[in-house]
Amino acid sequence: QSVLTQPPSVSAAPEQKVTISCSGGSSNIEYNYVSWYQQLPGTAPKLLIYDNNKRPSGIPDRFSGSKSGTSATLAITGLQTGDEADYYCATWDTSLSAGLFGGGTKLTVL
Amino acid sequence: QVQLVQSGAEVRKPGASVKVSCKTSGFTFNAHYMNWVRQAPGQGLEWMGRINPNSGTTNYVQKFQDRITMTRDTSISTAYMEVRSLTSDDTAVYFCARSPRYLSSSNFDYWGQGTLVTVSS
């Protein structure tokens, strides 16, 4: 059971928009930065969003992140079949003094 | 370019130990934390801990506190993680991942390719 809660799965049609939520608490998301990762089958995770809403170079602006209070959201617009993957949020927990990952969300592009 | 290259797959019997390496290049090894993250088959990502290569200081998740040791060799820009007293629950892919060197850092910007550790009698 992860401290950070994500929906197990989301789905949408190509070209549509999807959002993935990540819910935490005051010791983690509320006062620490959130990052998001994409993991394709059999590969290492890839950083999509860091510091709540920043994109590393090379990440298209179809991917965006936001945070409000104890929750964060990843939005993906203009969905492509190549976006089918598992998505994870991550943050630091000040009370645990540890990094945390959400349980992951499987995105299906119908 | 930044590279993290991990050692190859391992098979161990229950009760044994395993040591995984993560050889880095393309950046200043001492200037970033090195984290270890594992993923059991079909499961999510689990942060295990990190090492500050500059000082050797480590942060471990409490559940692993007694069974893991993270070390580094700065002369060859390589990080290591040893896991002891292995059980079948430790069967997983183990990743090393770089992050900026500040206390609440969780931006894992570069990852190794992963090392599969299989624990089986």
Side-chain angles (χ1 to χ4, degrees):
Chain A
Q1 199 85 350
S2 302
V3 174
L4 302 181
T5 302
Q6 297 182 233
S9 63
V10 295
S11 61
E15 298 303 318
Q16 295 303 303
K17 174 183 176 179
V18 71
T19 61
I20 299 173
S21 61
C22 176
S23 178
S26 58
S27 64
N28 42 71
I29 288 180
E30 186 167 20
Y31 295 110
N32 293 296
Y33 286 126
V34 176
S35 53
W36 289 90
Y37 302 85
Q38 177 193 62
Q39 187 178 32
L40 299 169
T43 69
K46 175 183 177 181
L47 179 65
L48 290 178
I49 298 289
Y50 69 98
D51 290 0
N52 301 334
N53 55 18
K54 297 182 174 65
R55 282 186 309 277
S57 67
I59 301 299
D61 59 6
R62 300 189 298 109
F63 296 89
S64 63
S66 62
K67 188 181 90 168
S68 178
T70 59
S71 293
T73 302
L74 172 71
I76 312 172
T77 59
L79 276 172
Q80 303 172 1
T81 55
D83 296 332
E84 284 203 337
D86 294 324
Y87 293 83
Y88 294 90
C89 59
T91 190
W92 184 258
D93 191 291
T94 306
S95 297
L96 297 173
S97 196
L100 293 177
F101 284 97
T105 299
K106 183 175 182 60
L107 169 63
T108 301
V109 181
L110 301 168
Chain B
Q1 71 281 25
V2 174
Q3 287 192 310
L4 284 68
V5 180
Q6 298 184 225
S7 47
E10 305 270 14
V11 179
R12 294 286 186 274
K13 293 190 183 308
S17 300
V18 69
K19 191 170 185 177
V20 180
S21 67
C22 174
K23 181 166 179 56
T24 74
S25 59
F27 67 98
T28 303
F29 182 64
N30 285 6
H32 300 264
Y33 286 143
M34 192 59 67
N35 302 263
W36 290 89
V37 176
R38 79 175 185 179
Q39 186 170 37
Q43 302 300 308
L45 302 172
E46 181 175 27
W47 188 83
M48 301 178 70
R50 70 187 182 191
I51 184 167
N52 179 345
N54 192 51
S55 62
T57 303
T58 54
N59 259 115
Y60 301 148
V61 168
Q62 191 165 14
K63 68 180 277 189
F64 297 115
Q65 194 89 27
D66 298 331
R67 294 201 300 126
I68 67 173
T69 301
M70 295 177 187
T71 56
R72 88 293 188 213
D73 184 337
T74 56
S75 69
I76 55 172
S77 300
T78 299
Y80 304 91
M81 182 178 66
E82 181 184 35
V83 186
R84 299 177 294 279
S85 303
L86 290 164
T87 72
S88 57
D89 289 343
D90 294 313
T91 293
V93 176
Y94 290 77
F95 296 99
C96 57
R98 187 187 86 162
S99 69
R101 206 178 75 196
Y102 61 88
L103 178 63
S104 60
S105 165
S106 67
N107 296 340
F108 309 114
D109 56 358
Y110 287 91
W111 295 66
Q113 82 276 21
T115 297
L116 175 61
V117 175
T118 303
V119 183
S120 173
S121 55

